[in-house]
Amino acid sequence: TSEFPAELKGAALGDSTAIRTAHNSFARAEPLIFEGPRPATDDDDVFHFIAYIPYRGQVYELDGLKAGPIALGEYDSAVPESWVGVAAPAVQTRIARYAASEVRFNLLAMVRNSVQALEARVAAAQATGDAATIEGLQLQLAEAQARHAGWKEENVRRRHNYLPLAIELLKILAEKGQLTTMLEEAKPRWEEKAKRLMEQRAQKKKEAAQG
């Protein structure tokens, strides 16, 4: 696809079975599925990703809501990590723009798999016979493997459908006559949370109107 125009590249990515499968594998389990599309409303939280990449001495901002890439500035190609210093002000400016009404920002870095990187370094150290370096790298590798195993378990739990368990717990509480009492005790907290949410949305709409 390297020779494709931008539109065809996007279509190729959208039609990629491998990408779609990987993406959907991380989707949260939805026990209730409603047929047909539903457009977003003012009450929905709509998010999208903005990417910052270094390419041939320039740092670019890739925003799906913009017509094309935005050049942010040059970086020193001899120092590959220096591109972060060019991207950081743009990220900080974007966050500051909405800081008064929005705190839900996530920064994600696309990096090489740490286990694979450490395995390569261990293999290189073994080739030179550096015992001290090998031992240190093997400890780092074991820690990285443990982290990845934890992440895998976390993803399994996150994608699991807990609705049947929740229904059974509610049934047991109802049979013991505890469900109504617990609901009444929780009601004030729900109402307070709903009130705060409505106030936040009203504030966001007010700020958007002021422009």
Side-chain angles (χ1 to χ4, degrees), residues 3 7 16 24-25 38 66 68 71 83 91 93 126 132 147 151 157 159 188 210-211:
E3 302 301 323
E7 293 81 2
S16 171
N24 291 340
S25 71
R38 184 183 71 83
K66 301 291 179 60
W83 76 272
V91 175
T93 299
Q126 288 173 336
R147 285 197 304 273
W151 294 339
R157 290 176 176 174
R159 289 177 287 184
Q210 292 173 347

Side-chain angles (χ1 to χ4, degrees), residues 126-187:
Q126 288 173 336
T128 63
D130 188 341
T133 301
I134 292 172
E135 183 178 0
L137 289 173
Q138 286 177 333
L139 288 174
Q140 294 180 46
L141 177 59
E143 292 174 356
Q145 289 171 332
R147 285 197 304 273
H148 280 247
W151 294 339
K152 183 177 181 179
E153 182 177 352
E154 179 182 334
N155 280 328
V156 170
R157 290 176 176 174
R158 183 175 58 81
R159 289 177 287 184
H160 184 71
N161 180 10
Y162 288 95
L163 183 61
L165 173 62
I167 291 174
E168 288 302 314
L169 289 174
L170 291 174
K171 286 181 179 178
I172 292 172
L173 290 172
E175 291 171 357
K176 293 183 176 181
Q178 300 176 0
L179 183 59
T180 301
T181 301
M182 294 178 68
L183 289 172
E184 289 300 322
E185 291 176 349
K187 187 176 180 180

Side-chain angles (χ1 to χ4, degrees), residues 45-151:
D45 292 320
V46 181
F47 304 100
H48 76 288
F49 288 99
I50 300 172
Y52 297 88
I53 64 168
Y55 183 71
R56 294 184 178 179
Q58 282 277 352
V59 177
Y60 293 93
E61 178 183 280
L62 305 180
D63 185 342
L65 301 180
K66 301 291 179 60
I70 300 173
L72 299 179
E74 298 180 351
Y75 72 99
D76 186 356
S77 300
V79 186
E81 63 274 13
S82 65
W83 76 272
V84 176
V86 180
V91 175
Q92 292 167 346
T93 299
R94 183 174 291 276
I95 292 176
R97 189 183 309 160
Y98 305 101
S101 59
E102 183 60 78
V103 295
R104 290 167 295 181
F105 292 95
N106 285 319
L107 291 177
L108 307 175
M110 296 185 65
V111 298
R112 184 182 179 187
N113 184 305
S114 59
V115 171
Q116 295 176 348
L118 285 166
E119 286 175 342
R121 292 178 63 187
V122 168
Q126 288 173 336
T128 63
D130 188 341
T133 301
I134 292 172
E135 183 178 0
L137 289 173
Q138 286 177 333
L139 288 174
Q140 294 180 46
L141 177 59
E143 292 174 356
Q145 289 171 332
R147 285 197 304 273
H148 280 247
W151 294 339

